[in-house]
Amino acid sequence: MTLLALGINHRTATVAVREQVAFTATQLEMALAELRSLPQISEAAVLSTCNRTELYCVTDAEGEQAVLDWLGRFHGLRVEELARCAYHYLDNDAARHLMRVAVGLDSMVLGEPQILGQLKDAYQQARDADGLGGELERLFQHTFAVAKQVRTETGIGKNPVSVAYAAVSLASRIFDDFSRARALLIGAGETIELVARHLHEAGVRHLTVANRTRERAERVSAELGGEAITLEEIPQALERADIVISSTGSPLPILGKGMVERALKKRRHRPVFMVDIAVPRDIEPEVGELADVFLYTVDDLEEVIQENRKHRQVAADQAETLIHHGVASWQHDRRIRNGGELIRDYRRQGEALRDISRQQALERLARGEDPAEVIERLAHQLANRLMHQPTQAIRDAASREQYDLLDAASSLLLPAEMPALAHRQKDNTPA
């Protein structure tokens, strides 16, 4: 079986494509069940964030195409369109990719910490859906251990660098005095919590958090002295907001062009800075056409993120070294496991042949046959049965000039002590 990592991210696909391929929370359970039911797939996990959708699977030789076809069917997209922006990694490369993702080396913001929590959520969701077997279970656990080592031994997690921080940094270029700005944050997840904290630390004192349920909005706003509202109250809050940052899991836009246009009239066309971090987008793209709106998406944060990337590059190089050792360790353990499985299979085969020969010998003894003849025949049959398959494989390898297999057979089947043992048996000397 093959380990496969297949997906798209912010480097290979635009936000328009990413939002089509993203999985909502309600879709994940069904997606895992469907993916796991494919005949080519024995294990599966799905990671879906605003910047990436990735599928981790244990597959057979044709699994990659089957997974790509399924992803297209699930989201109603043409496979050819997906293939143009999808990437895939196999076995060791797949393990390395997962570890790089967990550490934040593959993120838009180098070393951002949120992705590790998102990956742990994806792991737990796959476990709950019975999508994990021994292979992915061990890989994820090994990945989490490597990520912890990287966070502990390098400076990649230092300084507040994230998509949330990048959004606030971009806002700071537009507003000279944050203390007079009013911010409306839509959503109450981890990203919005970070945005709220960064805005508060930057000097914003007027924070409003809007969410589907007021209770969750209060949880984010209360600590920072902000106000909590529901999504239905956004039109009124929009009239007072200078900064709007949105990150929800809504499948449909929350802010439409008409709603923003009406708010701008009430504001007497004072400009509004907006950042849409969500995928799918929370703010209709047409809002950016309005004269007094400065609308940015996650893709527009790349300039800010590139500046932050420089500060973490040294730590990233150290992280790459740790990941290299992590992949080598995982590969070593995997080889040992595969060797153990081969040993178990080989021993089971030998024991089955032994049991057959023993049963036949016992039946002959029960019929009164001469014990010496029974033992002689038992030894002859057992030797022939044990040697038949390796002998045939050696003949086939020799006829095909597969010298690597012949060398391996010599090493495995003719251990160094065999000639001495044969010599002692011939001379009838005690061992």
Side-chain angles (χ1 to χ4, degrees), residues 157-410:
K158 293 180 180 178
N159 302 320
V161 182
S162 63
V163 170
Y165 183 75
V168 174
S169 296
L170 191 59
S172 69
R173 299 181 181 183
I174 297 174
F175 295 91
D176 294 328
D177 185 3
F178 261 157
S179 65
R180 300 173 59 184
R182 293 178 175 271
L184 169 62
L185 309 182
I186 305 174
E190 185 178 0
T191 299
I192 287 297
E193 285 189 51
L194 283 171
V195 168
R197 195 173 301 120
H198 291 320
L199 284 172
H200 188 266
E201 291 171 355
V204 174
R205 294 294 174 262
H206 302 282
L207 282 171
T208 300
V209 180
N211 192 57
R212 184 172 56 83
T213 60
R214 190 185 299 271
E215 292 75 18
R216 289 199 64 182
E218 287 174 345
R219 181 175 57 81
V220 176
S221 63
E223 183 182 347
L224 304 175
E227 177 188 3
I229 63 174
T230 62
L231 298 183
E232 288 73 21
E233 300 173 85
I234 286 178
Q236 294 74 36
L238 204 55
E239 298 171 9
R240 305 186 299 272
D242 304 303
I243 301 169
V244 178
I245 301 179
S246 186
S247 178
T248 76
S250 173
L252 298 173
I254 292 175
L255 298 186
K257 184 178 180 181
M259 181 193 298
V260 177
E261 208 165 15
R262 288 189 292 273
L264 287 173
K265 290 179 181 178
K266 294 287 184 69
R267 290 173 56 81
R268 300 183 182 277
H269 295 279
R270 282 183 291 117
V272 181
F273 170 80
M274 293 184 169
V275 180
D276 188 352
I277 306 176
V279 177
R281 284 173 280 192
D282 285 339
I283 304 174
E284 288 183 350
E286 292 76 14
V287 170
E289 300 170 2
L290 298 174
D292 300 303
V293 172
F294 299 89
L295 174 61
Y296 299 87
T297 68
V298 288
D299 289 348
D300 297 318
L301 300 178
E302 185 64 30
E303 180 184 346
V304 177
I305 287 162
Q306 286 300 327
E307 293 179 11
N308 296 332
R309 183 178 291 270
K310 297 175 185 177
H311 300 295
R312 293 196 169 187
Q313 192 56 53
V314 173
D317 292 341
Q318 297 170 343
E320 292 282 13
T321 300
L322 292 174
I323 287 173
H324 175 76
H325 292 310
V327 172
S329 173
W330 173 81
Q331 183 183 25
H332 176 72
D333 292 345
R334 193 186 194 202
R335 284 172 175 168
I336 291 176
R337 288 194 302 273
N338 290 341
E341 292 173 3
L342 178 60
I343 290 170
R344 284 191 294 273
D345 290 343
Y346 183 67
R347 291 187 68 88
R348 276 195 293 266
Q349 176 182 294
E351 289 165 357
L353 294 174
R354 175 203 65 195
D355 293 342
I356 292 171
S357 297
R358 179 177 58 193
Q359 183 60 35
Q360 290 174 344
L362 290 172
E363 291 173 357
R364 291 190 182 97
L365 288 173
R367 291 196 297 268
E369 294 185 22
D370 180 56
E373 292 181 4
V374 171
I375 291 173
E376 180 67 26
R377 185 164 182 171
L378 168 65
H380 180 74
Q381 284 184 336
L382 186 56
N384 281 343
R385 286 168 174 167
L386 290 173
M387 291 187 295
H388 173 74
Q389 187 174 343
T391 299
Q392 187 61 49
I394 289 172
R395 285 176 177 155
D396 292 342
S399 68
R400 298 189 182 98
E401 298 184 348
Q402 295 174 307
Y403 299 115
D404 55 339
L405 289 180
L406 292 175
D407 289 341
S410 176

Side-chain angles (χ1 to χ4, degrees), residues 19-286:
E19 65 186 359
Q20 293 181 74
V21 182
F23 292 90
T24 65
T26 54
Q27 289 176 322
L28 266 178
E29 185 176 353
M30 180 192 304
L32 283 165
E34 287 188 14
L35 187 56
R36 179 65 179 79
S37 69
L38 296 177
Q40 299 88 348
I41 308 300
S42 58
E43 302 179 40
V46 176
L47 172 65
S48 185
T49 73
C50 61
N51 282 328
R52 72 182 62 246
T53 293
E54 294 183 338
L55 312 175
Y56 294 89
C57 305
V58 176
T59 78
D60 63 17
E62 300 177 355
E64 179 185 341
Q65 189 61 49
V67 171
L68 192 63
D69 291 344
W70 171 84
L71 187 61
R73 287 196 306 272
F74 191 94
H75 290 294
L77 297 172
R78 293 191 305 113
V79 174
E80 295 79 8
E81 181 181 356
L82 274 177
R84 281 195 294 270
C85 55
Y87 48 83
H88 73 276
Y89 301 96
L90 301 177
D91 293 326
N92 293 344
D93 291 334
R96 179 177 293 104
H97 177 73
L98 179 60
M99 293 178 199
R100 296 187 79 254
V101 169
V103 171
L105 293 182
D106 196 59
S107 296
M108 180 181 288
V109 179
L110 183 65
E112 60 98 359
Q114 288 81 17
I115 187 63
L116 181 57
Q118 293 166 333
L119 192 59
K120 288 182 176 179
D121 289 341
Y123 160 76
Q124 190 59 53
Q125 288 161 345
R127 268 192 107 186
D128 294 342
D130 295 325
L132 300 185
E135 188 76 8
L136 282 183
E137 175 71 36
R138 284 186 288 265
L139 175 61
F140 274 102
Q141 292 296 339
H142 193 90
T143 296
F144 297 148
V146 170
K148 181 179 180 180
Q149 182 185 16
V150 169
R151 293 286 172 186
T152 302
E153 298 183 13
T154 75
I156 199 165
K158 293 180 180 178
N159 302 320
V161 182
S162 63
V163 170
Y165 183 75
V168 174
S169 296
L170 191 59
S172 69
R173 299 181 181 183
I174 297 174
F175 295 91
D176 294 328
D177 185 3
F178 261 157
S179 65
R180 300 173 59 184
R182 293 178 175 271
L184 169 62
L185 309 182
I186 305 174
E190 185 178 0
T191 299
I192 287 297
E193 285 189 51
L194 283 171
V195 168
R197 195 173 301 120
H198 291 320
L199 284 172
H200 188 266
E201 291 171 355
V204 174
R205 294 294 174 262
H206 302 282
L207 282 171
T208 300
V209 180
N211 192 57
R212 184 172 56 83
T213 60
R214 190 185 299 271
E215 292 75 18
R216 289 199 64 182
E218 287 174 345
R219 181 175 57 81
V220 176
S221 63
E223 183 182 347
L224 304 175
E227 177 188 3
I229 63 174
T230 62
L231 298 183
E232 288 73 21
E233 300 173 85
I234 286 178
Q236 294 74 36
L238 204 55
E239 298 171 9
R240 305 186 299 272
D242 304 303
I243 301 169
V244 178
I245 301 179
S246 186
S247 178
T248 76
S250 173
L252 298 173
I254 292 175
L255 298 186
K257 184 178 180 181
M259 181 193 298
V260 177
E261 208 165 15
R262 288 189 292 273
L264 287 173
K265 290 179 181 178
K266 294 287 184 69
R267 290 173 56 81
R268 300 183 182 277
H269 295 279
R270 282 183 291 117
V272 181
F273 170 80
M274 293 184 169
V275 180
D276 188 352
I277 306 176
V279 177
R281 284 173 280 192
D282 285 339
I283 304 174
E284 288 183 350
E286 292 76 14

